[in-house]
Amino acid sequence: MDIWDKKKRSEVMSKIRSKNTKPEILLRKALFAKGFRYRINYKNLPGKPDIVLPKYKTVIFVHGCFWHGHDIGCIDSHIPKTNTQYWTEKIIRNKERDKNNMIQILSMGWNVLTIWDCEIQQKGNIDLLIQKIANLLH
Ligand SMILES: [Zn+2]
C-alpha cells in the first residue's frame, strides 16, 4: 500500500515541480558565484534547457529525479505504489523526450550536461559539482 491516500498523493505529486525547483536555484547561484553567466528557460533550443551558457555553447538540464526517472538506486526516483503503471509510463515518456531533446541539441552543435537533483542536494557536494562542470567547460 501507498503510505498516502489518493488525495494526499496527488497533493504530494503536485509539489514536485519541474521548473524553478530549489536544487536548480542552488546550482544557478553556485554557478553565478563562480563567474558563470547563463540564460534560463532558453526557448530557442529543444526542451527549453534550464540553464544555457552561450559562451560555452553548453546547456544544462537540471532533472528532478522522480519526473525524469533517475537510475534505480536513487532514493528520490521511486515509482509510487499506487497507479504504478500510470507513473511508469509517464516517466518512460519523459525519458524518451529528454533523450530526443538531447540528440537534437547535440546535432545543433551544443554540448549537453545533465545534472540530477540528488547530485545537487547531497550535502557539501555543490562545490565539487561546480568544479566538475567547470572542468567540462574548459
Ligand atoms: Zn537522483
Side-chain angles (χ1 to χ4, degrees):
M1 270 305 284
D2 198 357
I3 53 165
W4 288 300
D5 60 30
K6 250 187 168 158
K7 191 166 163 273
K8 181 72 183 164
R9 166 57 68 192
S10 60
E11 201 184 305
V12 168
M13 286 305 159
S14 73
K15 280 186 184 140
I16 306 173
R17 295 217 175 81
S18 57
K19 289 285 168 200
N20 286 318
T21 51
K22 208 169 158 248
E24 187 186 325
I25 291 166
L26 277 173
L27 182 66
R28 271 195 232 151
K29 281 186 175 160
L31 281 169
F32 194 85
K34 287 281 173 194
F36 291 104
R37 296 297 175 261
Y38 50 79
R39 310 262 307 263
I40 55 167
N41 299 329
Y42 197 74
K43 290 180 178 61
N44 299 330
L45 288 169
K48 284 186 241 161
D50 302 298
I51 298 170
V52 175
L53 298 145
K55 189 178 161 190
Y56 301 93
K57 239 188 162 201
T58 297
V59 311
I60 301 176
F61 283 103
V62 180
H63 279 349
C65 297
F66 176 76
W67 291 113
H68 297 270
H70 197 194
D71 300 338
I72 299 165
C74 167
I75 57 160
D76 297 322
S77 70
H78 286 316
I79 302 286
K81 291 200 168 57
T82 51
N83 299 322
T84 304
Q85 196 183 350
Y86 168 80
W87 290 114
T88 304
E89 283 168 8
K90 192 174 179 62
I91 286 159
I92 286 171
R93 276 200 304 275
N94 287 346
K95 289 186 77 142
E96 278 295 308
R97 196 181 307 129
D98 290 341
K99 208 175 111 188
N100 289 335
N101 287 336
M102 192 174 178
I103 290 166
Q104 281 186 60
I105 295 170
L106 288 170
S107 75
M108 292 163 80
W110 288 70
N111 296 314
V112 179
L113 300 179
T114 301
I115 309 289
W116 296 92
D117 274 4
C118 68
E119 293 181 281
I120 298 169
Q121 280 170 320
Q122 273 172 38
K123 227 178 161 193
N125 194 40
I126 193 93
D127 288 337
L128 223 73
L129 195 62
I130 299 294
Q131 194 56 53
K132 224 171 91 179
I133 294 169
N135 290 342
L136 287 168
L137 294 175
H138 289 119

